[in-house]
Amino acid sequence: AFAAEADRMDDGEQRGVLYGRAHGDLHVRNILLPISPLQLKQYKLIDLGGYSSKSPLARDPMHLLLSISLEWLNSGIIAGSPVSRSLVNLIVRPRASTAEKEYQEVSLAIHNAGYEWASKEGWGKEWTQQSLLFLAGCSLRYASRELLGVNDPNSARGWFFDVAAVAARAYLQEADLWDRYRDGCTTHNL
């Protein structure tokens, strides 16, 4: 169900990009669930215009997680508040200690679903790294959108920029690249 395409890194190390079938725009409004009675395993995906059989697999789960986090912001969590800062952390690092257990469960479930699958195939590290990169990229997309139904759209866009920055830093740390970029980029370490 997936393929790995290796990209050369500057130090000669190989990194696989996981490709396969993906929705392309997975968010909470594109998932239909029968509710009378609630049947979670009977879901249907709609709006399949972005579907591809050769998509990066980590994108959809991270996009879904961010769409769920937008719903959390819409439910009254104020961007910039201590709770919203905790959300940034638990979205990027779902295993970190937090008081926000309900939100953590959602983040951990989404991260773990892909990670467990990729780990069985020997791609756990690549999945983690790609998830962090897609969190950064998808967060930047959310930060540039018109966010409807949010009390303070400018703060919410800033919150998504924060998610992108924290995810990018976590990626650099996970990929052992943080020391290379920690003190700024210079031409000799690019």
Side-chain angles (χ1 to χ4, degrees):
F2 80 92
E5 185 174 293
D7 294 327
R8 271 255 180 249
M9 293 178 57
D10 59 352
D11 58 3
E13 190 178 318
Q14 295 284 321
R15 176 177 310 144
V17 178
L18 303 176
Y19 289 94
R21 295 180 191 104
H23 184 279
D25 186 25
L26 191 59
H27 58 80
V28 294
R29 306 270 188 259
N30 281 344
I31 302 171
L32 300 178
L33 294 170
I35 57 171
S36 188
L38 182 61
Q39 300 169 24
L40 296 177
K41 295 187 184 222
Q42 300 287 329
Y43 69 89
K44 293 191 188 287
L45 300 178
I46 61 171
D47 190 14
L48 296 171
Y51 171 82
S52 173
S53 62
K54 295 180 182 176
S55 290
L57 293 175
R59 180 183 57 204
D60 273 356
M62 296 305 105
H63 192 263
L64 176 61
L65 179 56
L66 292 170
S67 79
I68 292 168
S69 68
L70 181 59
E71 297 298 317
W72 294 336
L73 292 175
N74 284 342
S75 73
I77 293 174
I78 299 167
S81 70
V83 171
S84 77
R85 288 191 295 277
S86 290
L87 287 178
V88 169
N89 236 355
L90 66 88
I91 286 168
V92 175
R93 297 179 189 92
R95 290 167 190 81
S97 177
T98 181
E100 311 303 328
K101 297 299 182 196
E102 300 88 20
Y103 302 118
Q104 184 179 32
E105 286 179 23
V106 172
S107 180
L108 193 55
I110 291 172
H111 278 276
N112 279 348
Y115 178 80
E116 288 171 6
W117 169 82
S119 290
K120 287 178 190 172
E121 303 292 333
W123 292 93
K125 182 175 182 170
E126 289 80 2
W127 182 271
T128 298
Q129 292 175 356
Q130 290 168 41
S131 293
L132 292 168
L133 290 173
F134 278 108
L135 270 176
C138 292
S139 293
L140 290 173
R141 290 184 67 199
Y142 270 96
S144 66
R145 291 181 178 168
E146 181 180 357
L147 300 174
L148 303 174
V150 179
N151 293 338
D152 187 350
N154 288 332
S155 292
R157 280 191 287 277
W159 184 85
F160 281 108
F161 274 118
D162 290 351
V163 173
V166 172
R169 179 181 178 155
Y171 165 77
L172 290 172
Q173 291 169 329
E174 174 70 26
D176 295 322
L177 296 171
W178 179 247
D179 288 339
R180 181 186 298 182
Y181 298 106
R182 181 183 55 219
D183 298 323
C185 295
T186 62
T187 55
H188 73 275
N189 55 353
L190 290 178

